[in-house]
Coordinates of all heavy atoms in Angstrom, one line a residue:
F1 N 72.3 97.1 95.9 CA 73.3 98.2 95.5 C 74.6 97.4 95.3 O 74.8 96.4 95.8 CB 73.4 99.3 96.5 CG 74.0 98.9 97.8 CD1 75.3 99.1 98.0 CD2 73.2 98.4 98.8 CE1 75.8 98.7 99.3 CE2 73.7 98.0 100.0 CZ 75.0 98.1 100.3
E2 N 75.5 98.1 94.6 CA 76.8 97.5 94.4 C 77.9 98.0 95.3 O 78.0 99.2 95.6 CB 77.2 97.7 92.9 CG 78.5 97.1 92.4 CD 78.8 97.4 91.0 OE1 78.6 98.5 90.5 OE2 79.2 96.5 90.3
T3 N 78.7 97.1 95.7 CA 79.8 97.5 96.7 C 81.0 98.1 95.8 O 81.3 97.5 94.8 CB 80.3 96.3 97.5 OG1 79.3 95.8 98.3 CG2 81.5 96.7 98.4
V4 N 81.5 99.2 96.2 CA 82.5 99.8 95.6 C 83.7 100.1 96.6 O 83.4 100.2 97.8 CB 82.2 101.1 94.8 CG1 81.3 100.7 93.7 CG2 81.6 102.1 95.7
G5 N 84.9 100.3 96.1 CA 86.0 100.6 97.0 C 86.9 101.7 96.3 O 86.7 101.9 95.2
E6 N 87.8 102.2 97.1 CA 88.7 103.2 96.7 C 90.1 102.5 96.6 O 90.4 101.7 97.5 CB 88.8 104.4 97.6 CG 89.8 105.4 97.1 CD 89.8 106.6 98.0 OE1 90.6 106.5 99.1 OE2 89.2 107.6 97.7
V7 N 90.9 102.6 95.5 CA 92.2 102.1 95.4 C 93.2 103.2 95.3 O 93.0 104.2 94.5 CB 92.2 101.3 94.0 CG1 93.7 100.8 93.9 CG2 91.2 100.1 94.1
V8 N 94.2 103.2 96.1 CA 95.3 104.2 96.1 C 96.5 103.4 95.7 O 97.0 102.6 96.4 CB 95.5 104.9 97.5 CG1 96.6 105.8 97.4 CG2 94.2 105.6 98.0
V9 N 97.1 103.9 94.7 CA 98.4 103.3 94.1 C 99.5 104.2 94.3 O 99.4 105.5 94.0 CB 98.2 103.0 92.6 CG1 99.5 102.4 92.0 CG2 97.0 102.1 92.3
E10 N 100.6 103.8 94.9 CA 101.8 104.6 95.1 C 102.9 103.9 94.2 O 103.2 102.7 94.4 CB 102.3 104.6 96.5 CG 101.3 105.3 97.4 CD 101.9 105.3 98.9 OE1 102.6 104.5 99.3 OE2 101.4 106.3 99.6
V11 N 103.5 104.6 93.3 CA 104.4 104.1 92.3 C 105.8 104.5 92.7 O 106.2 105.7 92.8 CB 104.1 104.5 90.8 CG1 105.2 103.9 90.0 CG2 102.7 104.1 90.5
E12 N 106.7 103.6 93.1 CA 108.1 103.8 93.6 C 109.0 103.5 92.5 O 108.8 102.6 91.6 CB 108.3 103.0 94.8 CG 107.5 103.3 96.0 CD 107.7 102.5 97.2 OE1 108.4 101.4 97.0 OE2 107.2 102.8 98.3
N13 N 110.1 104.2 92.4 CA 111.1 103.9 91.4 C 112.0 102.8 91.8 O 112.6 102.8 92.8 CB 112.0 105.2 91.3 CG 113.0 105.1 90.1 OD1 113.5 104.0 89.7 ND2 113.3 106.2 89.6
Q14 N 111.9 101.7 90.9 CA 112.6 100.4 91.3 C 114.1 100.6 91.3 O 114.8 99.9 91.9 CB 112.2 99.3 90.3 CG 112.8 99.3 89.0 CD 112.0 100.1 88.0 OE1 111.1 100.9 88.3 NE2 112.2 99.8 86.7
F15 N 114.6 101.6 90.5 CA 116.0 101.8 90.5 C 116.6 102.6 91.6 O 117.8 102.6 92.0 CB 116.4 102.5 89.1 CG 115.9 101.7 87.9 CD1 115.0 102.2 87.0 CD2 116.5 100.5 87.7 CE1 114.6 101.5 85.9 CE2 116.1 99.7 86.5 CZ 115.2 100.3 85.8
T16 N 115.7 103.3 92.3 CA 116.3 104.2 93.5 C 115.4 103.8 94.8 O 115.4 104.6 95.6 CB 116.1 105.6 93.1 OG1 114.8 105.9 92.9 CG2 117.1 106.1 92.1
Y17 N 114.9 102.6 94.7 CA 114.0 102.2 95.9 C 114.7 102.3 97.3 O 114.1 102.8 98.2 CB 113.5 100.7 95.7 CG 112.6 100.3 96.8 CD1 111.3 100.7 96.8 CD2 113.1 99.5 97.8 CE1 110.4 100.2 97.8 CE2 112.3 99.1 98.8 CZ 110.9 99.4 98.7 OH 110.1 99.0 99.7
F18 N 116.0 102.0 97.3 CA 116.7 102.0 98.6 C 117.4 103.3 98.8 O 118.1 103.5 99.8 CB 117.6 100.9 98.6 CG 117.0 99.5 98.7 CD1 117.0 98.7 97.6 CD2 116.2 99.2 99.8 CE1 116.3 97.5 97.6 CE2 115.6 97.9 99.9 CZ 115.7 97.2 98.7
A19 N 117.2 104.3 97.9 CA 117.9 105.6 98.1 C 117.1 106.4 99.1 O 115.9 106.2 99.4 CB 117.8 106.4 96.8
E20 N 117.8 107.4 99.7 CA 117.2 108.2 100.7 C 116.1 109.0 100.2 O 116.2 109.5 99.1 CB 118.2 109.2 101.3 CG 117.8 109.9 102.5 CD 118.9 110.7 103.2 OE1 120.0 110.2 103.3 OE2 118.5 111.7 103.8
G21 N 114.9 108.9 100.8 CA 113.7 109.7 100.3 C 112.9 108.8 99.3 O 111.8 109.2 99.0
Q22 N 113.4 107.7 99.0 CA 112.6 106.8 98.0 C 111.9 107.6 97.0 O 110.7 107.7 97.1 CB 111.7 105.8 98.8 CG 112.5 104.9 99.6 CD 111.5 104.0 100.4 OE1 110.5 104.4 100.9 NE2 111.8 102.7 100.4
P23 N 112.5 108.2 96.0 CA 111.8 108.9 95.0 C 110.6 108.2 94.4 O 110.7 107.0 94.1 CB 112.9 109.2 94.0 CG 114.2 109.0 94.6 CD 113.9 108.0 95.7
M24 N 109.5 108.9 94.2 CA 108.3 108.3 93.6 C 108.3 108.6 92.2 O 109.1 109.5 91.7 CB 107.1 108.8 94.4 CG 107.1 108.7 95.8 SD 107.2 107.0 96.3 CE 105.5 106.5 96.4
V25 N 107.4 108.0 91.4 CA 107.5 108.2 89.9 C 106.2 109.0 89.5 O 105.0 108.6 89.8 CB 107.3 106.8 89.2 CG1 107.3 107.0 87.7 CG2 108.6 106.0 89.6
E26 N 106.4 110.1 89.0 CA 105.4 111.0 88.5 C 105.1 110.6 87.1 O 105.9 110.3 86.3 CB 105.9 112.5 88.6 CG 104.8 113.5 88.1 CD 105.2 114.9 88.3 OE1 106.3 115.2 88.7 OE2 104.4 115.7 87.9
G27 N 103.8 110.7 86.7 CA 103.4 110.5 85.3 C 103.3 109.0 84.9 O 103.3 108.8 83.7
A28 N 103.3 108.1 85.8 CA 103.1 106.7 85.4 C 101.7 106.5 85.0 O 100.8 106.9 85.8 CB 103.6 105.8 86.6
L29 N 101.4 105.7 84.0 CA 100.0 105.4 83.7 C 99.5 104.2 84.4 O 100.1 103.1 84.4 CB 100.0 105.1 82.1 CG 98.6 104.6 81.6 CD1 97.5 105.7 81.8 CD2 98.7 104.3 80.1
V30 N 98.4 104.4 85.2 CA 97.8 103.3 85.9 C 96.4 103.0 85.3 O 95.6 103.8 85.0 CB 97.6 103.8 87.4 CG1 96.9 102.7 88.2 CG2 98.9 104.2 88.1
R31 N 96.2 101.7 85.2 CA 94.9 101.2 84.6 C 94.4 100.1 85.5 O 95.1 99.2 85.9 CB 95.1 100.5 83.3 CG 94.9 101.5 82.1 CD 94.8 100.7 80.8 NE 95.2 101.7 79.8 CZ 96.3 101.6 79.1 NH1 97.3 100.8 79.4 NH2 96.7 102.6 78.1
I32 N 93.0 100.2 85.8 CA 92.4 99.1 86.6 C 91.3 98.7 85.8 O 90.3 99.5 85.3 CB 91.9 99.7 88.0 CG1 93.1 100.2 88.8 CG2 91.1 98.6 88.7 CD1 92.7 100.8 90.1
K33 N 91.3 97.3 85.4 CA 90.3 96.7 84.5 C 89.7 95.5 85.1 O 90.4 94.9 85.9 CB 91.0 96.3 83.2 CG 91.7 97.5 82.4 CD 92.1 97.0 81.0 CE 93.2 96.0 81.0 NZ 93.8 95.8 79.7
N34 N 88.4 95.2 84.7 CA 87.8 94.0 85.2 C 88.7 92.9 84.7 O 89.0 92.8 83.5 CB 86.4 94.0 84.6 CG 85.7 92.7 85.1 OD1 85.9 91.6 84.5 ND2 84.8 92.9 85.9
Y35 N 88.9 91.9 85.5 CA 89.8 90.8 85.2 C 89.2 89.9 84.1 O 89.9 89.4 83.3 CB 89.9 89.9 86.6 CG 90.8 88.8 86.3 CD1 92.3 88.9 86.2 CD2 90.4 87.4 86.1 CE1 93.1 87.8 86.0 CE2 91.2 86.4 85.9 CZ 92.5 86.6 85.9 OH 93.4 85.5 85.6
Y36 N 87.9 89.7 84.1 CA 87.2 88.9 83.1 C 86.8 89.6 81.8 O 86.9 89.0 80.8 CB 86.0 88.2 83.8 CG 86.4 87.4 85.0 CD1 86.2 88.0 86.3 CD2 87.1 86.2 84.9 CE1 86.6 87.2 87.4 CE2 87.5 85.5 86.0 CZ 87.2 86.1 87.3 OH 87.6 85.4 88.4
T37 N 86.3 90.8 81.9 CA 85.7 91.4 80.8 C 86.7 92.4 80.1 O 86.5 92.8 79.0 CB 84.4 92.2 81.0 OG1 84.7 93.3 81.9 CG2 83.4 91.3 81.7
G38 N 87.7 92.9 80.9 CA 88.6 94.0 80.4 C 88.1 95.3 80.4 O 88.7 96.3 80.0
E39 N 86.8 95.5 81.0 CA 86.2 96.8 81.1 C 87.1 97.7 82.0 O 87.5 97.3 83.0 CB 84.8 96.8 81.7 CG 84.1 98.1 81.9 CD 82.8 98.0 82.4 OE1 82.2 96.9 82.7 OE2 82.2 99.1 82.9
V40 N 87.5 98.9 81.5 CA 88.3 99.8 82.3 C 87.4 100.5 83.4 O 86.6 101.3 83.0 CB 89.0 100.8 81.4 CG1 89.9 101.7 82.2 CG2 89.9 100.0 80.4
Y41 N 87.9 100.4 84.6 CA 87.2 101.2 85.7 C 87.8 102.4 86.1 O 87.3 103.4 86.6 CB 87.0 100.2 87.0 CG 86.1 99.1 86.7 CD1 86.5 97.8 86.9 CD2 84.8 99.2 86.3 CE1 85.6 96.7 86.7 CE2 84.0 98.1 86.0 CZ 84.3 96.9 86.3 OH 83.6 95.8 86.0
A42 N 89.2 102.4 85.9 CA 90.0 103.7 86.2 C 91.2 103.6 85.4 O 91.8 102.7 85.1 CB 90.3 103.6 87.8
E43 N 91.6 105.0 85.1 CA 92.8 105.1 84.2 C 93.3 106.6 84.5 O 92.5 107.4 84.5 CB 92.5 104.9 82.8 CG 93.7 105.1 81.9 CD 93.3 104.7 80.5 OE1 92.6 105.5 79.9 OE2 93.8 103.8 80.0
G44 N 94.6 106.6 84.7 CA 95.1 108.0 84.9 C 96.6 108.0 85.2 O 97.2 106.9 85.2
L45 N 97.2 109.2 85.4 CA 98.6 109.2 85.6 C 98.8 109.6 87.1 O 98.0 110.3 87.8 CB 99.2 110.4 84.7 CG 98.9 110.3 83.3 CD1 99.5 111.5 82.6 CD2 99.8 109.1 82.8
T46 N 100.0 109.1 87.6 CA 100.4 109.4 89.0 C 100.8 110.9 89.1 O 101.3 111.5 88.1 CB 101.5 108.5 89.5 OG1 102.6 108.6 88.5 CG2 101.0 107.1 89.6
G47 N 100.6 111.6 90.2 CA 100.9 112.9 90.4 C 102.3 113.0 90.9 O 103.1 112.1 90.9
A48 N 102.8 114.2 91.3 CA 104.1 114.5 91.7 C 104.5 113.7 92.9 O 105.7 113.4 93.1 CB 104.3 116.0 91.9
D49 N 103.5 113.2 93.7 CA 103.7 112.4 94.9 C 103.8 110.9 94.5 O 103.9 110.1 95.5 CB 102.7 112.7 96.0 CG 101.3 112.4 95.4 OD1 101.1 112.0 94.3 OD2 100.4 112.5 96.3
G50 N 103.7 110.5 93.3 CA 103.7 109.2 92.9 C 102.4 108.5 93.2 O 102.3 107.3 93.0
R51 N 101.3 109.2 93.4 CA 100.1 108.6 93.7 C 99.0 108.7 92.7 O 98.9 109.8 92.0 CB 99.5 109.1 95.1 CG 100.2 108.8 96.3 CD 99.6 109.5 97.4 NE 100.0 108.8 98.7 CZ 99.2 108.4 99.6 NH1 97.9 108.6 99.5 NH2 99.6 107.8 100.6
F52 N 98.1 107.6 92.6 CA 96.9 107.7 91.7 C 95.9 107.1 92.6 O 96.0 106.0 93.2 CB 97.1 106.9 90.5 CG 95.9 106.6 89.7 CD1 95.4 107.7 88.9 CD2 95.2 105.5 89.7 CE1 94.3 107.6 88.2 CE2 94.0 105.4 89.0 CZ 93.5 106.4 88.3
T53 N 94.7 107.8 92.7 CA 93.6 107.3 93.5 C 92.4 107.1 92.5 O 92.1 107.9 91.7 CB 93.2 108.3 94.5 OG1 94.3 108.7 95.3 CG2 92.0 107.9 95.3
A54 N 91.8 105.9 92.7 CA 90.6 105.5 91.8 C 89.5 105.3 92.8 O 89.5 104.4 93.7 CB 91.0 104.2 91.1
A55 N 88.4 106.1 92.7 CA 87.3 106.0 93.5 C 86.2 105.2 92.8 O 86.2 105.1 91.6 CB 86.7 107.4 93.9
S56 N 85.3 104.5 93.6 CA 84.2 103.7 93.0 C 84.6 102.6 92.2 O 84.0 102.5 91.1 CB 83.3 104.7 92.3 OG 82.8 105.7 93.2
V57 N 85.6 101.9 92.5 CA 86.0 100.7 91.7 C 85.1 99.5 92.3 O 85.0 99.2 93.4 CB 87.5 100.3 92.0 CG1 87.8 99.0 91.3 CG2 88.4 101.4 91.5
P58 N 84.3 98.9 91.4 CA 83.4 97.9 91.8 C 84.0 96.7 92.5 O 85.1 96.3 92.2 CB 82.7 97.4 90.5 CG 83.1 98.5 89.4 CD 84.3 99.1 89.9
E59 N 83.2 95.9 93.3 CA 83.6 94.8 94.0 C 83.9 93.7 92.9 O 83.4 93.7 91.8 CB 82.5 94.3 94.8 CG 82.7 93.1 95.5 CD 81.5 92.6 96.4 OE1 80.4 93.0 96.1 OE2 81.8 91.8 97.4
G60 N 85.1 92.9 93.2 CA 85.4 91.9 92.2 C 86.9 91.9 92.1 O 87.6 92.6 92.7
S61 N 87.3 91.0 91.2 CA 88.7 90.9 90.8 C 89.0 91.8 89.6 O 88.4 91.8 88.6 CB 89.1 89.4 90.5 OG 88.9 88.6 91.5
H62 N 90.2 92.4 89.8 CA 90.6 93.4 88.7 C 92.1 93.3 88.4 O 92.9 93.0 89.3 CB 90.2 94.9 89.1 CG 88.8 95.0 89.5 ND1 87.8 94.8 88.7 CD2 88.3 95.3 90.7 CE1 86.7 95.0 89.3 NE2 87.0 95.3 90.6
R63 N 92.4 93.6 87.1 CA 93.9 93.6 86.8 C 94.3 95.1 86.8 O 93.7 96.0 86.4 CB 94.1 93.1 85.3 CG 95.5 93.1 84.9 CD 95.7 92.3 83.7 NE 95.3 91.0 83.7 CZ 96.0 90.0 84.3 NH1 97.1 90.2 85.0 NH2 95.5 88.8 84.2
I64 N 95.5 95.3 87.5 CA 96.1 96.6 87.6 C 97.4 96.5 86.8 O 98.2 95.6 87.0 CB 96.3 97.0 89.0 CG1 96.8 98.4 89.1 CG2 97.1 96.1 89.9 CD1 96.9 99.0 90.5
T65 N 97.6 97.6 86.0 CA 98.8 97.8 85.3 C 99.4 99.1 85.5 O 98.6 100.1 85.6 CB 98.7 97.4 83.8 OG1 97.7 98.4 83.2 CG2 98.3 96.0 83.5
V66 N 100.7 99.1 85.6 CA 101.4 100.5 85.8 C 102.5 100.5 84.8 O 103.3 99.6 84.7 CB 101.9 100.7 87.2 CG1 102.6 102.1 87.3 CG2 100.8 100.5 88.2
E67 N 102.6 101.6 84.0 CA 103.6 101.7 82.9 C 104.2 103.1 82.9 O 103.5 104.1 83.0 CB 103.0 101.4 81.5 CG 102.4 100.0 81.4 CD 101.7 99.8 80.1 OE1 101.2 100.7 79.6 OE2 101.6 98.6 79.7
K68 N 105.5 103.1 82.6 CA 106.2 104.5 82.5 C 107.5 104.1 81.7 O 108.2 103.2 82.0 CB 106.5 105.1 83.8 CG 107.4 106.3 83.8 CD 106.7 107.6 83.6 CE 107.7 108.7 83.6 NZ 107.2 110.0 83.8
A69 N 107.7 105.0 80.7 CA 109.0 104.8 79.9 C 110.1 104.7 80.8 O 110.2 105.5 81.8 CB 109.1 105.9 78.9
Q70 N 111.0 103.9 80.5 CA 112.4 103.7 81.2 C 112.2 103.1 82.6 O 113.0 103.3 83.5 CB 113.1 105.0 81.3 CG 113.5 105.7 79.9 CD 114.2 107.0 80.0 OE1 114.2 107.6 81.0 NE2 114.7 107.4 78.8
H71 N 111.0 102.5 82.8 CA 110.7 101.7 84.1 C 110.1 100.5 83.8 O 109.5 100.3 82.7 CB 109.8 102.6 85.0 CG 110.3 103.9 85.5 ND1 111.1 103.9 86.6 CD2 110.2 105.1 85.0 CE1 111.3 105.2 86.8 NE2 110.9 105.9 85.8
L72 N 110.3 99.5 84.6 CA 109.7 98.1 84.4 C 108.3 98.3 84.6 O 107.8 98.9 85.5 CB 110.3 97.2 85.4 CG 111.8 96.9 85.3 CD1 112.3 96.0 86.5 CD2 112.1 96.2 84.0
P73 N 107.5 97.6 83.8 CA 106.0 97.6 83.9 C 105.5 96.8 85.1 O 106.3 95.8 85.6 CB 105.4 97.0 82.6 CG 106.6 96.2 82.1 CD 107.8 96.8 82.6
Y74 N 104.4 97.1 85.7 CA 103.9 96.4 86.8 C 102.5 95.8 86.4 O 101.7 96.5 85.8 CB 103.7 97.3 88.0 CG 103.0 96.6 89.2 CD1 103.9 95.7 90.1 CD2 101.8 96.7 89.5 CE1 103.3 95.1 91.2 CE2 101.2 96.1 90.6 CZ 102.0 95.3 91.4 OH 101.3 94.7 92.5
N75 N 102.2 94.5 86.7 CA 100.9 93.9 86.4 C 100.6 93.0 87.5 O 101.4 92.2 87.9 CB 101.2 93.1 85.1 CG 100.0 92.5 84.5 OD1 98.9 92.5 85.1 ND2 100.0 92.0 83.4
N76 N 99.4 93.1 88.1 CA 98.9 92.2 89.2 C 97.5 92.2 89.2 O 96.7 92.9 88.5 CB 99.5 92.8 90.5 CG 99.8 91.6 91.5 OD1 99.2 90.6 91.4 ND2 100.6 91.9 92.4
I77 N 97.0 91.4 90.1 CA 95.5 91.3 90.4 C 95.2 91.9 91.7 O 95.8 91.7 92.8 CB 95.0 89.8 90.4 CG1 95.6 89.1 89.2 CG2 93.6 89.7 90.6 CD1 94.9 89.6 87.9
I78 N 94.1 92.7 91.8 CA 93.6 93.2 93.1 C 92.1 92.7 93.2 O 91.4 92.5 92.3 CB 93.6 94.8 93.1 CG1 92.8 95.4 92.0 CG2 95.1 95.2 93.1 CD1 92.8 96.9 92.1
D79 N 91.7 92.6 94.5 CA 90.4 92.2 94.8 C 89.8 93.3 95.7 O 90.2 93.6 96.7 CB 90.3 90.8 95.5 CG 90.7 89.7 94.7 OD1 90.1 89.6 93.6 OD2 91.6 89.0 95.1
I80 N 88.6 93.7 95.2 CA 87.8 94.7 95.9 C 86.6 93.8 96.7 O 85.9 93.1 96.0 CB 87.1 95.8 95.1 CG1 88.1 96.5 94.3 CG2 86.3 96.7 96.0 CD1 89.1 97.3 95.1
K81 N 86.6 93.7 98.0 CA 85.7 92.9 98.7 C 84.9 93.8 99.7 O 85.3 94.8 100.1 CB 86.5 91.9 99.4 CG 87.2 90.9 98.5 CD 87.9 89.9 99.3 CE 88.7 89.0 98.4 NZ 89.5 88.0 99.2
R82 N 83.8 93.2 100.2 CA 83.0 93.8 101.2 C 83.8 93.9 102.5 O 84.5 93.1 102.8 CB 81.7 93.1 101.4 CG 80.7 93.3 100.3 CD 79.5 92.6 100.6 NE 78.6 92.6 99.5 CZ 77.4 93.2 99.5 NH1 76.9 93.5 100.7 NH2 76.7 93.3 98.5

């Protein structure tokens, strides 16, 4: 069987990060893709709480990107391990 994990992404507003209440970003597009093949494992928008949850992301290295108009894009690598 294949090992899978859950990824919870919280998107914070870089312009108001230090403001009281640290406003979260609603409607940011989150993508999780296989690092090597580019296969998309999860894609969706953050909710009003700034969160996006991806269930059943396979074990391995993946690229995560977060984009929203008028915000700096985010791009990084995540590893799902046993």
Side-chain angles (χ1 to χ4, degrees):
F1 71 95
E2 183 175 43
T3 300
V4 296
E6 179 179 84
V7 177
V8 178
V9 179
E10 292 182 337
V11 181
E12 298 175 345
N13 187 329
Q14 78 271 16
F15 300 115
T16 58
Y17 180 77
F18 295 106
E20 191 170 324
Q22 295 179 318
M24 305 302 269
V25 178
E26 180 178 1
L29 177 61
V30 179
R31 274 193 199 99
I32 299 173
K33 302 190 290 188
N34 181 287
Y35 182 78
Y36 302 102
T37 68
E39 179 181 352
V40 176
Y41 292 126
E43 180 176 69
L45 300 175
T46 55
D49 61 356
R51 287 178 162 231
F52 171 77
T53 301
S56 301
V57 177
E59 181 178 21
S61 294
H62 307 297
R63 180 167 304 282
I64 181 170
T65 59
V66 180
E67 299 174 333
K68 170 87 182 199
Q70 300 177 348
H71 294 273
L72 297 172
Y74 177 81
N75 184 351
N76 210 337
I77 306 298
I78 58 172
D79 289 308
I80 304 295
K81 299 179 181 178
R82 286 182 186 236

